[in-house]
Amino acid sequence: MEISSCRLCPRRCGARRSAEHGEGFCRMGADAVVARAALHFWEEPCLSGTRGSGTVFFTGCSLKCVFCQNYQISTQREVGLRVTPQELSRIFLRLEQQGAHNINLVNPTHFAPAIAEALRLRRPSVPVVYNSGGYERVETLRSLEGLVDIYLPDLKYLSPETAERYSGAADYPQAAQAAVLEMARQTGPARFDGQGILQRGTIVRHLLLPSNTRNSAAVLEWLSQNLPEGVLVSLMAQYVPCGEAARFPEINRRVTKREYEKVQELLFSLGLDGYVQEREAAKKDFIPPFDLEGVLPPQDT
């Protein structure tokens, strides 16, 4: 696969990307690079269920979040194996055979064409989850319509200054707001099976950052005013300083109980439906190892 002028993400850098190499912001080629493919039990209950979510972690990123828990693969790009769309399709199948409730594509934006090709080669028998930082182009999302069953985007910030400081993307708020609304349009309201496992819908995540309760309040208020009925919200409290967070004293700590309770109370008062993560989830123990587990089917190793 090759991309002659990449405009997949809002940066629209126009870089040429061969199968193996890329000169764009993400520095990745056009073929997907996978760091881990395994069952994961720490997503929202409606995704992890009892058998786990079949998470596929992709290397590289179009954001540069200084606190990223996956910094080793998103920014440093230390781990990852290039796979063809055919091999990626087989990875999806292997996760299904392991009992995954869904195929969970973690940070897929910069590999959208390769992922789409893999999904067209063989449509998984379980829902496909597009697990994204929210920094998306509506045009790219529309190219995936009919291939994605569940969207799981972040809405990190509504302040351009905050977005630039922590993620290197001042246009993040505008891009993410448009992306969330497009995702909701594609999926419609949440639909569950008899076991409470999500089959179709959109869940918007928001990660509570220390010293940033005003940012969280602005995000939640925007969601309450703009989300269509049936779109869920997940308030996440799992923040621990990772990546380059130590360079930013205001976020180089865990969220306090007072900060957590303040934002949680606002969520409830706004009547938003969804999930609230407990502060006890703020542990590095929940960050999976990026060790190429499950990247290649047994017959290819």
Side-chain angles (χ1 to χ4, degrees):
M1 177 171 287
E2 183 171 315
I3 300 174
S4 60
S5 179
C6 186
R7 288 175 170 77
L8 290 174
C9 83
R11 296 192 189 275
R12 291 180 283 185
C13 56
R16 178 183 177 275
R17 298 171 64 190
S18 68
E20 297 186 49
H21 303 289
E23 299 301 323
F25 184 89
C26 67
R27 311 297 294 178
M28 304 303 295
D31 279 354
V33 178
V34 181
R36 178 179 172 85
L39 298 178
H40 188 59
F41 294 87
W42 305 111
E43 303 285 32
E44 285 77 3
C46 66
L47 297 176
S48 291
T50 57
R51 302 195 304 269
S53 179
T55 50
V56 181
F57 287 87
F58 294 99
T59 301
C61 190
S62 55
L63 288 172
K64 287 289 183 282
C65 300
V66 298
F67 51 81
C68 182
Q69 291 187 345
N70 300 343
Y71 194 81
Q72 179 187 9
I73 62 171
S74 65
T75 302
Q76 294 177 317
R77 304 183 295 277
E78 291 180 347
V79 180
L81 186 67
R82 182 175 71 90
V83 297
T84 65
Q86 291 78 12
E87 290 168 331
L88 185 58
S89 179
R90 291 203 295 271
I91 289 173
F92 298 161
L93 176 59
R94 185 181 180 197
L95 289 168
E96 286 183 67
Q97 292 171 339
Q98 292 173 354
H101 287 293
N102 44 64
I103 302 300
N104 189 343
L105 310 171
V106 183
N107 197 19
T109 309
H110 49 302
F111 295 129
I115 290 168
E117 184 173 342
L119 293 172
R120 290 189 179 104
L121 285 170
R122 178 188 170 276
R123 179 71 177 170
S125 61
V126 294
V128 174
V129 182
Y130 191 90
N131 185 340
S132 154
Y135 192 53
E136 306 282 349
R137 288 193 71 203
V138 167
E139 293 81 356
T140 300
L141 295 173
R142 287 177 179 163
S143 74
L144 298 168
E145 188 164 4
L147 297 174
V148 173
D149 303 290
I150 298 167
Y151 282 105
L152 188 62
D154 293 333
L155 185 55
K156 299 176 187 290
Y157 332 97
L158 288 191
S159 160
E161 293 76 19
T162 306
E164 176 65 29
R165 178 170 176 79
Y166 297 140
S167 294
D171 63 337
Y172 176 91
Q174 180 181 3
Q177 286 171 312
V180 164
L181 295 178
E182 171 62 20
M183 293 171 178
R185 181 197 68 78
Q186 287 188 23
T187 65
R191 297 207 313 260
F192 301 85
D193 68 10
Q195 287 71 50
I197 303 299
L198 188 63
Q199 300 298 296
R200 188 169 180 84
T202 296
I203 304 176
V204 183
R205 286 173 162 175
H206 175 68
L207 176 65
L208 175 56
L209 297 175
S211 309
N212 278 269
T213 55
R214 289 184 181 178
N215 173 65
S216 292
V219 168
L220 294 180
E221 287 168 359
W222 185 88
L223 291 173
S224 72
Q225 295 167 10
N226 292 276
L227 282 188
E229 186 176 352
V231 177
L232 306 176
V233 175
S234 180
L235 180 61
M236 305 180 75
Q238 67 186 40
Y239 180 86
V240 289
C242 293
E244 300 179 19
R247 296 197 296 110
F248 300 82
E250 73 275 15
I251 61 169
N252 192 28
R253 61 172 175 82
R254 285 185 55 192
V255 170
T256 66
K257 181 180 179 182
R258 184 169 181 267
E259 289 171 326
Y260 172 77
E261 291 178 346
K262 181 178 180 180
V263 176
Q264 180 181 247
E265 287 172 6
L266 176 61
L267 176 82
F268 294 153
S269 70
L270 292 171
L272 292 166
D273 188 19
Y275 304 90
V276 177
Q277 190 179 48
E278 297 179 353
R279 285 182 67 242
E280 288 70 22
K283 298 177 182 177
K284 291 188 176 181
D285 296 346
F286 295 112
I287 302 174
F290 300 114
D291 52 8
L292 298 180
E293 179 182 347
V295 175
L296 286 179
Q299 64 267 27
D300 292 341
T301 59

